[in-house]
Amino acid sequence: METLYGGIEGGGTKFVCLLGPGPDHIVDEERFPTTTPDETLGRVVAFFRRPRDGVRPAALGVSSFGPIDVNRASPTYGFITTTPKPHWAYTNVVGLLQRELGVPVGWDTDVNGAALGEWRWGAGRDADLLVYITVGTGIGGGAVIGGEPLHGLLHPEMGHLPMPVLDNDTFPGVCPYHGRCLEGLACGPALQARAGRPAQQLAPDDPIWDLEARYLAYGMQAITQVLSPQRIVVGGGVASYPGLLAAVRRHLVRINNGYIASPKLADEVDSYVVAPGLGERSGVLGALELARRELARSRGEPP
Amino acid sequence: METLYGGIEGGGTKFVCLLGPGPDHIVDEERFPTTTPDETLGRVVAFFRRPRDGVRPAALGVSSFGPIDVNRASPTYGFITTTPKPHWAYTNVVGLLQRELGVPVGWDTDVNGAALGEWRWGAGRDADLLVYITVGTGIGGGAVIGGEPLHGLLHPEMGHLPMPVLDNDTFPGVCPYHGRCLEGLACGPALQARAGRPAQQLAPDDPIWDLEARYLAYGMQAITQVLSPQRIVVGGGVASYPGLLAAVRRHLVRINNGYIASPKLADEVDSYVVAPGLGERSGVLGALELARRELARSRGEPP
């Protein structure tokens, strides 16, 4: 019988739980809103404890909203740390799941998890250096290099890149830390604040969409300059707006202006900036891969 | 007898050649201006052929200005590629040195080489994820992750990050590709164009220095958001101006505004943004390490 894993995508607005051996066979899946840690993680535990003829996951993985502590040597490893989200600061997610479910628990950021999912099974299978960006309620980015999620001092926080001023834009931005960073100027709530109504209600030819595409293209140009990824997968609710990614690609090629002399920044940009191959499951399937690796690690096997 | 290696730092304005087993024993060293490829690489070959009682390097390494081709599977591997520098576009540096000197030749960008040198022997010895930035005639950045120089689609080009407008700055920037990118606004020639005279002639309290520090701090904030390095080593002629790095650190802490919740972006910023541990030899000593690794590779040994 195939080994079953549990994947958990912990987002700021919703949680997704998935049970299965991999993306081709999903035994069970559930989505519910993110409320308090007690209630939300209680539902996660209940999902994996549900009687299914003795079918239980051998390990769990979590792709979590952050910031989170990914340093195994730290006393707060496995915690969500300084999040402004009410009730969630310094929540010990990994500790609670290990205690309640008694299996190894893998752990990374939502966007590193999504990058890992796309690298393993989705639109990044041939990319040795893959970036995943989400554009929705917030903007975040993670990376996988040579099959390993990127960690350093902490983990990437690609949403908070500094931005140039476009079109004498005077919108002050919505980021409480930086004001006019990429997230502050281009996340869903920024679009809504700028337009005075939800982004979904804007006409496709509203000039706000072109401005949005240009800010996102500057963000991708910055990521390209620093990391030189082989592919950028762009997920999230805002990014799925029809035509937006195509506009981002056009502006990215224009902004690069021939400097990075690669066809990926020219004729082949369609295969450089791409939609997720796993749809909305990049993060939760990445969590499944985190689970598989954590089980191998707990057994002293190579990942 | 210790194995001797040859390190070559190929810069846009000068070349440095160094012969030795490592930084503690430099057998010979020479610096000369970068002119045409024939003349400059001819001097490199002559330096390593010079009679020294039979002492010859077992391998060479080159830290080169770019852009360069670092893809071993590419037909132009070992070439400087699309550089605007007269005569140097599509120069086969590795091929020429291998042919003339008959030893393995390691190869990477000047800034990846410098990052490798600082990681091996300098200010980055304890950093698993290290960034090296140079601020001089141009601005460039490289990285070492887990001991390996960062390559992806091509290699990092951290100098060309998009920048916010500061103080209603109307200076158009000097970058021919992007105008007002980090390099366009803050490299040595940008300082000189802005001030109307060489940067060295500016008074220490000239407000241009504070503007320079703020642009550099935004560049480091962007690099921090994307890569999350454990340390950023800053070299180059402009960066060595007294007091400049201290001002960059202050502005970086202010710009981060508590978002990245690490002491490295607060009280410990002095150990996050640092001067090179190898002085002006980061790049050429990194080239020595590239030589050592290439020799091991040519013998099928682990690096």
Side-chain angles (χ1 to χ4, degrees), chain B:
Chain B
M1 194 182 129
E2 279 186 298
T3 306
L4 289 188
Y5 302 102
I8 300 151
E9 182 181 354
T13 55
K14 70 169 190 300
F15 266 60
V16 185
C17 295
L18 187 151
L19 179 69
D24 298 332
H25 179 200
I26 292 169
V27 174
D28 201 357
E29 187 171 12
E30 191 169 294
R31 291 168 183 250
F32 41 86
T34 307
T35 57
T36 63
D38 279 355
E39 182 180 27
T40 312
L41 296 174
R43 291 188 73 166
V44 171
V45 169
F47 173 85
F48 288 109
R49 278 195 183 143
R50 192 172 300 162
R52 294 183 186 93
D53 296 329
V55 167
R56 300 281 290 269
L60 300 176
V62 187
S63 302
S64 177
F65 75 92
I68 70 173
D69 189 342
V70 291
N71 174 5
R72 288 181 188 268
S74 160
T76 53
Y77 173 76
F79 283 54
I80 293 171
T81 58
T82 55
T83 179
K85 195 170 171 61
H87 313 298
W88 283 87
Y90 290 95
T91 296
N92 183 358
V93 177
V94 170
L96 182 144
L97 294 176
Q98 275 175 340
R99 192 174 64 239
E100 294 295 323
L101 294 162
V103 292
V105 180
W107 174 246
D108 215 317
T109 63
D110 44 7
V111 281
N112 267 352
L116 187 63
E118 289 291 329
W119 177 82
R120 180 79 169 79
W121 290 301
R125 274 172 292 180
D126 55 346
D128 191 58
L129 206 174
L130 181 74
V131 163
Y132 178 93
I133 302 173
T134 179
V135 186
T137 311
I139 297 182
V144 169
I145 302 182
E148 292 297 324
L150 175 61
H151 299 145
L153 179 63
L154 301 172
H155 47 71
E157 283 286 348
M158 301 190 197
H160 297 262
L161 285 162
M163 283 287 114
V165 172
L166 302 178
D167 299 347
N168 301 308
D169 185 12
T170 56
F171 180 66
V174 301
C175 174
Y177 292 92
H178 314 103
R180 299 168 53 81
C181 64
L182 177 60
E183 175 169 300
L185 288 165
C187 67
L191 269 176
Q192 177 155 353
R194 189 190 285 281
R197 56 206 157 116
Q200 303 91 301
Q201 294 176 18
L202 294 170
D205 61 351
D206 192 301
I208 283 182
W209 286 116
D210 192 61
L211 193 60
E212 173 77 6
R214 282 187 285 157
Y215 282 123
L216 293 175
Y218 272 102
M220 290 181 207
Q221 192 247 357
I223 290 165
T224 298
Q225 300 295 140
V226 175
L227 253 182
S228 194
Q230 284 147 346
R231 185 159 297 144
I232 301 177
V233 178
V234 192
V238 172
S240 66
Y241 190 84
L244 183 61
L245 272 198
V248 169
R249 291 186 193 109
R250 282 196 304 275
H251 287 300
L252 178 60
V253 169
R254 180 183 55 75
I255 292 165
N256 180 60
N257 195 19
Y259 182 73
I260 304 275
S262 165
K264 297 292 176 194
L265 277 299
D267 298 348
E268 297 176 15
V269 69
D270 286 358
S271 65
Y272 184 61
V273 174
V274 303
L278 303 174
E280 296 187 345
R281 283 186 178 139
S282 317
V284 73
L285 287 171
L288 215 64
E289 173 66 7
L290 289 171
R292 191 190 65 72
R293 293 179 178 201
E294 193 67 22
L295 183 65
R297 184 188 168 91
S298 74
R299 291 172 170 169
E301 297 166 1

Side-chain angles (χ1 to χ4, degrees), chain A residues 54-235:
Chain A
V55 167
R56 300 282 289 271
L60 301 176
V62 188
S63 302
S64 177
F65 76 91
I68 70 173
D69 190 341
V70 292
N71 175 6
R72 288 182 188 266
S74 160
T76 53
Y77 173 76
F79 284 52
I80 292 172
T81 58
T82 55
T83 179
K85 194 169 172 63
H87 313 297
W88 282 86
Y90 290 96
T91 297
N92 183 357
V93 177
V94 169
L96 183 143
L97 294 176
Q98 274 175 342
R99 192 175 63 239
E100 296 294 322
L101 294 163
V103 292
V105 180
W107 173 246
D108 216 316
T109 63
D110 44 8
V111 281
N112 266 353
L116 187 63
E118 289 291 329
W119 176 83
R120 179 81 170 77
W121 290 301
R125 275 173 291 182
D126 54 346
D128 191 59
L129 206 174
L130 181 74
V131 163
Y132 177 92
I133 302 173
T134 178
V135 187
T137 310
I139 298 182
V144 168
I145 303 181
E148 291 297 323
L150 175 61
H151 300 146
L153 179 64
L154 301 172
H155 47 72
E157 284 286 347
M158 300 190 197
H160 296 263
L161 285 163
M163 282 286 114
V165 171
L166 303 178
D167 298 349
N168 300 309
D169 185 12
T170 56
F171 180 66
V174 299
C175 174
Y177 292 92
H178 315 103
R180 300 167 53 81
C181 64
L182 176 61
E183 175 169 301
L185 288 165
C187 67
L191 270 176
Q192 176 155 353
R194 188 191 286 280
R197 56 206 157 118
Q200 303 92 300
Q201 294 176 19
L202 293 170
D205 60 350
D206 192 299
I208 283 182
W209 287 117
D210 192 62
L211 193 59
E212 174 77 6
R214 281 187 286 157
Y215 281 124
L216 293 175
Y218 271 103
M220 291 182 205
Q221 192 247 357
I223 290 164
T224 299
Q225 300 295 140
V226 175
L227 254 182
S228 194
Q230 284 148 346
R231 185 160 298 143
I232 301 177
V233 178
V234 192

Side-chain angles (χ1 to χ4, degrees), chain A residues 254-300:
Chain A
R254 179 184 55 75
I255 292 164
N256 179 62
N257 195 19
Y259 182 73
I260 304 275
S262 164
K264 296 291 175 193
L265 277 299
D267 297 349
E268 297 176 15
V269 71
D270 286 0
S271 65
Y272 184 60
V273 174
V274 304
L278 303 174
E280 295 187 348
R281 285 188 177 137
S282 318
V284 74
L285 288 171
L288 215 64
E289 172 68 5
L290 289 171
R292 192 190 65 72
R293 292 179 180 202
E294 194 67 20
L295 183 65
R297 184 188 168 90
S298 74
R299 292 173 169 168

